């Protein structure tokens, strides 16, 4: 039995072996055949399907040649190389006998590129943005890349809902028309701008600093309320620079986020700020390792003063002045490096300006890139360096900041690359231009003028020359005004501001003085800096003033002013010589130490102006006006404001001051009084006409604060104030005309004063202000006004 089992098992193994033998034989044959295929030699390479591309061009991209052994890996690499050329839509490689057949399908050639549905972005801009052009080879990858480029253009315009679909229209001879179908969608605007972490400055003050604005009533006139990521990056830098200028050296913008609001109607932008601690300047010193440099002679270049609020821009300006001064002494390669020494315990930063010799590198060339509209010289004149000069990184950085301050460019970048020799460097100034034209208008109501409105159009880069021009039309029920201004900010390519103004103004004083006035003329002006923050402007003006529509019941003084030699109280005026010419020269000197000129909370401003009339013309007088403003932060959000103004006018050469040249003051100077409500007055006339005065002064003390329980982003704030002032000394003509009517001319230098409160609103149509004032002291003939509403005059 056991032997029988062994025999059966043996038979089973024999049968299994016989069943597997054919498969083993087949496997050997297959292996032998594959090995023989791998060892085959390519005798020829044939290219099939090509129409424009030469066969040799196709063969040049293959990783094998005739005579090589066939290799699957080289075939795969060859297919990838042919696809990478962008010339082919499909590629296959087959091995037939000893011949390799390369079959290609060429991509079509673009006959025309068109755009449909674009209205917000012009076609020329899109053509310049896409890479596919007529006579270039079409590929779907390139088309998708161009779709992304077009979307990027629309996103920069705030159109984040835009979509683009590329379509091709097949033509004969393997050509296609490429059409980008665009659905622009609605513009995505900025609904709100918030700040987190700011304590030293309010949201409103920081919104004045950045370039992006919130959506408003008239935002369709400007593009700054459209969300733009590039502009938001610029705003981050503007905020940082602002803090560095106002005492916060450690300030940083830690985050800037833009989120779609819940109903998808706009973006909410939030800037997160880490202010750090406020600092002032400590000791200021100059050290030099250059022989022959006397640091004591350089102290006049120091703009940073011990005890002053830390200002990084003043450090940069001081370094630049020192560099220029040392270069004038023959040290072209001198380098000035400010070395800050902070003291956290006293919150001071001492600055030592270290002077040493920098590397001897020369500027070989300065290239300007990206300025399609702005002319090269507008950019080059902001450099204090020229081609061939010694390279100084500080001077290049200062030039970059000056270019950014022009407001003509969205971005400015100065790149440095090696020149033709080791001691040569090439500077590439890369700019991205932005819109510089602006159309604006406003409307409102004033208690003194009724309905008011204005419209203006301005351009800050006229014909690409960096010049400023503005045309403004303004009016109300009592005023019509047209102004045309032109300014060349770099006259003769120097730090001189030159320009001219043409103006027309017509004022209706019927309700206050019984006449109307017309003034038309022009002026030319030249301004220049005397020192840091000290500015001087000189001007020449010629104008013609005319008094007309004098009322029958107007003051005798007004009838005399219009040329009536024998005026009567009730008779019609006989105005024979109601107009006269004024030719004058003027000088204005101003010193501005405010931290934020548009909305200051600290610092002061002083201005003194002097005019001399009589260089031809009919009027002969000299006039001086002075104004001072002071700002002090009581707390982070409460500011004390002080203001003092005054002026006087006096005739010369035997000529009296004319009535139209005298001062007319009222509620705009001392709140609580009506327009032309204070000063000399003819109480004998029917309307108790104001006659103006030759001397005046006024002073204001005001405390400004945010209104409690009202969100700051609404733009409402409040103030309490105390005003005082006076206007007196009627013109000699007025005194002469009323000499026969004793008691009718009332003229006193008594103090007029008032106290009150204000509500101010940064509205979408501009700043508005409501003043409520209680008069404390006045003359009996003065005219008062408890409530005054109108456009806010910032001071």
């Amino acid at each position: 039995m056991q032997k029988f089992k062994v025999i059966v098992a043996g038979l089973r193994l024999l049968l299994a072996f016989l069943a597997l033998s054919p498969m083993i034989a087949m496997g050997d044959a297959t292996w032998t055949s594959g090995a023989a295929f791998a060892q085959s030699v390519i005798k020829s390479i044939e290219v099939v399907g090509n129409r424009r591309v030469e066969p040799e061009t196709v063969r040049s991209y293959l990783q094998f040649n005739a005579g090589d052994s066939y290799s699957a890996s080289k075939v795969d690499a060859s297919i990838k190389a042919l696809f990478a050329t962008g010339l082919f839509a499909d590629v296959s490689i087959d091995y037939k006998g000893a011949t390799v057949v390369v079959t290609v399908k060429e991509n079509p050639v673009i006959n025309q590129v068109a755009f449909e549905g674009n209205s917000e972005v012009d076609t020329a801009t899109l053509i310049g943005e896409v890479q596919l052009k007529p006579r270039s080879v079409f590929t779907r990858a390139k088309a998708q890349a161009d779709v992304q480029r077009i979307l990027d253009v629309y996103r920069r315009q705030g159109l984040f809902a835009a979509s683009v679909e590329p379509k091709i229209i097949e033509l004969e001879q393997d050509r296609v028309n490429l059409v980008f179908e665009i659905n622009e969608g609605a513009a995505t605007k900025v609904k709100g701008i918030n700040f987190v972490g700011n304590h030293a400055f309010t949201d409103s003050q920081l919104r004045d600093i950045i370039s992006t604005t919130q959506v408003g009533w008239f935002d369709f006139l400007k593009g700054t309320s459209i969300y733009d990521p590039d502009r938001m990056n610029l705003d981050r830098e503007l905020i940082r620079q602002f803090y560095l200028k106002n005492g916060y050296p450690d300030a940083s913008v830690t985050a800037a986020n833009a989120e779609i609001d819940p109903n998808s109607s706009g973006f909410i932008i939030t800037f997160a700020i880490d202010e750090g601690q406020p600092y002032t300047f400590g000791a200021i010193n100059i050290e030099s390792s250059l022989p022959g440099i006397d640091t004591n002679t350089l102290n006049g270049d120091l703009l940073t003063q011990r005890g002053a609020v830390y200002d990084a821009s003043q450090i940069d300006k001081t370094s630049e002045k020192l560099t220029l001064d040392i270069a004038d002494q023959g040290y072209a390669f001198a380098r000035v490096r400010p070395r800050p020494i902070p003291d956290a315990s006293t919150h001071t930063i001492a600055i030592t300006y270290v002077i040493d010799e920098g590397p001897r590198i020369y500027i070989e060339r300065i290239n300007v890139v990206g300025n399609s509209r702005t002319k090269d010289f507008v950019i080059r004149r902001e450099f204090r360096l020229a081609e061939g000069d010694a390279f100084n990184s500080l001077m290049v950085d200062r030039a970059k900041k000056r270019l950014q301050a022009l407001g003509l460019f969205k971005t400015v970048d100065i790149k440095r690359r090696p020149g033709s020799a080791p001691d040569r460097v090439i500077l590439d100034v890369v700019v991205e231009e932005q819109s510089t034209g602006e159309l604006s208008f406003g409307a409102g109501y004033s208690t003194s003028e009724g309905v008011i409105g204005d419209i203006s159009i301005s351009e800050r880069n006229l014909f690409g020359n960096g010049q400023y021009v503005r045309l403004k039309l303004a009016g109300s029920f009592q005023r019509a005004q047209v102004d045309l201004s032109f300014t060349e900010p770099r006259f003769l390519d120097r730090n001189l501001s030159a320009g001219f103004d043409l103006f027309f103004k017509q004022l209706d004083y019927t309700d206050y003085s019984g006449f109307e006035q017309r003034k038309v003329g022009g002026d030319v002006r030249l301004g220049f800096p005397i020192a840091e923050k000290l500015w001087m402007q000189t001007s020449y003006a010629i104008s013609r003033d005319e008094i007309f529509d004098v009322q029958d019941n107007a003051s005798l003084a007004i009838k005399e002013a219009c040329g009536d030699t024998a005026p009567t109280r009730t008779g019609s005026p006989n105005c024979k010589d109601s107009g006269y010419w004024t030719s004058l020269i003027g000088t204005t000197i101003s010193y501005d130490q405010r931290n934020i000129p548009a909305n200051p909370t600290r610092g002061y401003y002083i201005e003194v102006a002097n005019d001399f009339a009589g260089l031809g013309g009919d009027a002969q007088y000299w006039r001086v006006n002075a104004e001072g403003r002071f700002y002090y932060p009581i707390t982070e959000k409460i500011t004390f404001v002080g203001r003092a103004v005054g002026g006087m006018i006096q005739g010369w050469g035997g000529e009296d001051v004319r009535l139209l040249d005298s001062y007319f003051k009222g509620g705009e100077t001392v709140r609580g009084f009506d327009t032309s409500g204070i000063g000399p007055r003819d109480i004998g006339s029917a309307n108790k006409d104001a006659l103006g005065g030759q001397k005046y002064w006024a002073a204001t003390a005001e405390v400004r604060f945010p209104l409690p329980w009202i969100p700051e982003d609404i733009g409402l704030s409040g103030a309490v104030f105390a005003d005082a002032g006076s206007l007196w000394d009627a013109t000699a003509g007025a005194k002469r005309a009323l000499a026969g009517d004793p008691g009718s001319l009332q003229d006193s230098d008594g103090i007029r004063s008032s106290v009150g409160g204000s509500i101010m609103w940064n509205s979408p149509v501009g700043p508005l202000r409501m003043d409520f004032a209680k008069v404390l002291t006045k003359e009996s003939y003065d005219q008062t006004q408890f409530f005054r509403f109108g456009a806010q005059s910032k001071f």
Side-chain angles (χ1 to χ4, degrees):
M1 187 68 178
Q2 186 67 26
K3 290 181 179 180
F4 177 78
K5 290 181 179 179
V6 171
I7 293 171
V8 171
L11 290 172
R12 287 177 176 174
L13 288 174
L14 178 61
L15 290 173
F17 176 79
L18 292 174
L20 290 173
S21 295
M23 296 180 63
I24 295 172
M26 187 180 298
D28 291 342
T30 302
W31 180 86
T32 304
S33 175
F37 183 80
Q39 298 299 322
S40 298
V41 176
I42 301 171
K43 292 185 178 180
S44 63
I45 300 174
E46 181 181 350
V47 178
V48 179
N50 59 308
R51 302 181 63 181
R52 300 184 312 274
V53 183
E54 294 293 330
E56 285 305 317
T57 302
V58 176
R59 293 188 182 101
S60 68
Y61 289 98
L62 300 178
Q63 306 299 307
F64 52 84
N65 297 300
D68 294 346
S69 297
Y70 184 87
S71 169
S73 61
K74 289 184 177 181
V75 168
D76 183 60
S78 298
I79 292 174
K80 291 179 179 178
L82 287 169
F83 270 118
T85 64
L87 299 173
F88 308 107
D90 192 17
V91 177
S92 65
I93 299 178
D94 300 307
Y95 185 69
K96 297 179 179 180
T99 301
V100 172
V101 180
V102 182
T103 305
V104 297
K105 181 182 179 182
E106 294 179 349
N107 278 318
V109 173
I110 296 175
N111 177 64
Q112 182 182 5
V113 179
F115 303 88
E116 293 181 357
N118 58 306
S119 59
E120 294 295 327
V121 181
D122 59 82
T123 300
T125 299
L126 296 177
I127 289 175
E129 195 71 24
V130 298
Q131 300 298 309
L132 288 174
K133 308 288 184 184
R135 295 186 297 278
S136 64
V137 176
F138 171 83
T139 68
R140 295 195 176 277
K142 289 182 179 179
Q144 289 302 320
D146 280 344
V147 165
Q148 188 59 47
R149 292 186 181 95
I150 295 172
L151 290 175
D152 289 342
V153 172
Y154 275 94
R155 283 169 182 154
R156 290 197 294 269
Q157 300 289 331
L159 297 166
F160 283 80
S163 61
V164 181
E165 184 177 354
K167 292 189 176 181
I168 59 173
I169 302 173
E170 296 184 355
L171 305 174
E172 58 184 9
Q173 298 180 354
D174 208 19
R175 295 176 301 126
V176 295
N177 285 341
L178 174 61
V179 180
F180 291 100
E181 293 185 352
I182 301 171
N183 180 9
E184 294 182 329
T188 311
K189 297 190 175 182
V190 177
K191 292 193 64 177
I193 302 175
N194 302 320
F195 301 88
V196 177
N198 57 308
H199 304 289
F201 303 101
T202 65
D203 287 9
S204 176
Q205 289 173 319
L206 294 178
R207 289 191 194 103
D208 288 340
I209 298 301
I210 62 177
S211 60
T212 303
T213 59
Q214 297 180 139
V215 64
W217 292 354
F218 304 119
D219 57 277
F220 62 89
L221 298 173
K222 53 187 178 180
T224 54
S225 63
I226 296 174
Y227 173 67
D228 184 343
D230 292 337
R231 186 182 292 117
M232 191 167 71
N233 291 332
L234 170 63
D235 290 338
R236 293 185 65 162
E237 181 62 18
L238 290 175
I239 294 170
R240 191 182 75 87
Q241 292 294 334
F242 173 73
Y243 271 94
L244 290 177
K245 288 178 62 178
N246 288 278
Y248 291 83
D250 300 324
S252 63
V253 181
T254 57
N257 299 318
E259 298 179 350
I260 292 285
D261 69 337
N263 58 6
S264 300
S265 61
F267 277 96
I268 304 295
I269 296 178
T270 303
F271 294 97
I273 301 172
D274 181 5
E275 292 184 332
Q277 295 297 316
Y279 279 77
T280 58
F281 282 120
I284 308 297
N285 298 299
I286 302 176
E287 294 181 0
S288 174
S289 62
L290 299 179
I293 294 293
D294 183 0
T295 57
N296 293 324
T297 63
L298 301 174
N299 289 331
D301 294 330
L302 296 176
L303 301 176
T304 49
Q305 302 295 328
R306 183 169 190 162
V309 174
Y310 177 86
D311 185 345
S313 68
Q314 296 294 79
I315 298 176
D316 292 340
K317 292 177 181 178
T318 298
S319 300
E320 182 180 15
K321 291 188 69 174
L322 288 170
T323 300
L324 293 173
D325 196 345
I326 297 168
D328 289 341
Q329 298 182 35
Y331 296 87
F333 296 97
R335 178 176 58 186
V336 178
R337 293 178 295 116
R339 185 176 65 205
I341 307 172
D343 186 340
S345 62
T346 60
H347 287 177
T348 61
I349 297 180
I351 305 292
T352 299
Y353 296 95
V354 179
I355 304 171
D356 57 15
E357 187 168 6
R360 292 181 173 268
I361 300 175
Y362 296 89
I363 299 175
E364 179 177 323
R365 193 167 64 252
I366 299 177
N367 300 322
V368 180
V369 181
N371 56 321
S372 59
R373 182 171 178 233
T374 307
K375 296 178 181 177
D376 275 15
F377 77 88
V378 175
I379 298 171
R380 292 179 181 274
R381 69 189 180 188
E382 297 303 324
F383 284 79
R384 303 298 183 259
L385 297 169
E387 291 161 340
D389 288 351
F391 173 79
N392 188 296
S393 58
L394 170 67
M395 303 290 283
V396 172
D397 184 61
R398 290 290 297 141
K400 178 180 178 180
K401 291 181 179 180
R402 279 190 290 268
L403 287 171
Q404 291 171 330
L406 291 177
L408 307 181
F409 310 108
K410 182 183 292 187
T411 60
V412 178
D413 189 18
I414 301 179
K415 299 179 180 179
R416 173 183 171 186
R417 56 190 174 94
S420 59
D423 62 346
R424 297 291 187 271
V425 65
I426 297 174
L427 300 180
D428 292 324
V429 184
V430 183
V431 299
E432 181 183 354
E433 294 178 317
Q434 64 181 359
S435 174
T436 54
E438 182 175 325
L439 173 66
S440 63
F441 62 86
Y445 179 82
S446 167
T447 52
S448 60
E449 298 186 51
V451 177
I452 58 176
D454 65 77
I455 181 171
S456 68
I457 182 170
S458 62
E459 172 58 58
R460 290 181 283 113
N461 192 14
L462 184 65
F463 304 127
N465 293 320
Q467 299 162 334
Y468 175 82
V469 64
R470 185 188 72 168
L471 175 64
K472 180 179 181 180
L473 291 83
S476 67
F477 289 148
Q478 297 182 347
R479 172 175 54 92
Q481 186 173 348
V482 180
D483 295 296
L484 174 64
S485 298
F486 170 84
T487 302
E488 167 56 73
R490 290 290 187 272
F491 184 57
L492 300 177
D493 283 338
R494 303 174 69 89
N495 197 12
L496 301 173
S497 173
F500 67 85
D501 305 286
L502 300 175
F503 51 83
F504 169 86
K505 182 186 294 185
Q506 184 166 312
L507 302 171
D508 186 354
Y509 288 124
T510 302
D511 293 339
Y512 311 109
S513 300
F515 70 90
E516 293 187 44
Q517 176 189 357
R518 183 182 298 117
K519 188 182 188 74
V520 59
D523 64 54
V524 292
R525 44 189 162 74
L526 179 69
F528 52 90
I530 300 175
E532 185 69 20
K533 299 189 178 181
L534 182 62
W535 185 265
M536 179 175 181
Q537 178 171 293
T538 59
S539 63
Y540 169 77
I542 184 168
S543 62
R544 180 170 176 80
D545 292 85
E546 183 179 0
I547 183 171
F548 65 99
D549 280 356
V550 177
Q551 303 297 301
D552 292 348
N553 58 1
S555 169
L556 296 175
I558 293 169
K559 293 179 178 180
E560 189 270 347
C562 80
D564 192 340
T565 57
T568 60
R569 280 291 186 191
T570 57
S572 299
N574 183 19
C575 297
K576 298 178 180 178
D577 186 18
S578 59
Y580 61 94
W581 288 94
T582 301
S583 174
L584 64 81
I585 58 171
T587 302
T588 301
I589 298 177
S590 59
Y591 184 76
D592 195 348
Q593 193 67 24
R594 296 172 295 178
N595 62 339
I596 317 170
N599 192 11
T601 58
R602 185 182 66 249
Y604 56 90
Y605 175 85
I606 300 173
E607 178 180 290
V608 179
N610 181 67
D611 296 322
F612 181 83
L615 301 178
D618 303 311
Q620 294 184 184
Y621 62 81
W622 66 270
R623 176 175 58 202
V624 61
N625 295 304
E627 179 179 7
R629 310 172 203 167
F630 174 75
Y631 307 86
Y632 179 78
I634 299 174
T635 68
E636 292 179 350
K637 296 186 178 181
I638 301 177
T639 303
F640 171 80
V641 180
R643 183 194 187 202
V645 295
M648 65 175 297
I649 185 172
Q650 188 71 46
W652 68 273
E655 290 288 330
D656 298 328
V657 174
R658 299 172 186 252
L659 184 137
L660 295 183
D661 293 324
S662 58
Y663 300 104
F664 287 82
K665 299 294 179 182
E668 79 288 343
T669 306
V670 180
R671 284 163 286 191
F673 291 87
D674 201 355
T675 302
S676 299
I678 65 174
R681 190 175 298 276
D682 180 5
I683 63 173
S685 62
N687 292 325
K688 296 181 173 56
D689 294 334
L691 304 178
Q694 298 181 95
K695 302 179 181 69
Y696 87 97
W697 67 270
T700 292
E702 182 172 288
V703 177
R704 298 174 181 172
F705 51 86
L707 293 176
W709 306 298
I710 295 179
E712 191 175 318
D713 57 2
I714 294 179
L716 283 172
S717 60
V720 292
F721 62 83
D723 291 349
S726 186
L727 170 66
W728 72 101
D729 192 11
T731 62
K735 295 174 182 177
R736 185 169 54 249
L738 296 174
D741 190 1
S744 62
L745 176 60
Q746 297 294 306
D747 189 357
S748 170
D749 62 357
I751 297 176
R752 283 78 163 179
S753 63
S754 64
V755 294
S758 303
I759 297 176
M760 296 168 285
W761 180 32
N762 286 322
S763 75
V765 297
L768 301 176
R769 179 170 185 141
M770 292 181 288
D771 293 317
F772 304 86
K774 169 67 175 177
V775 172
L776 300 180
T777 59
K778 70 181 189 69
E779 297 298 324
S780 60
Y781 51 85
D782 290 335
Q783 297 183 359
T784 61
Q785 182 184 65
F786 171 72
F787 173 71
R788 187 177 183 87
F789 172 77
Q792 178 182 352
S793 298
K794 290 190 176 183
F795 60 84

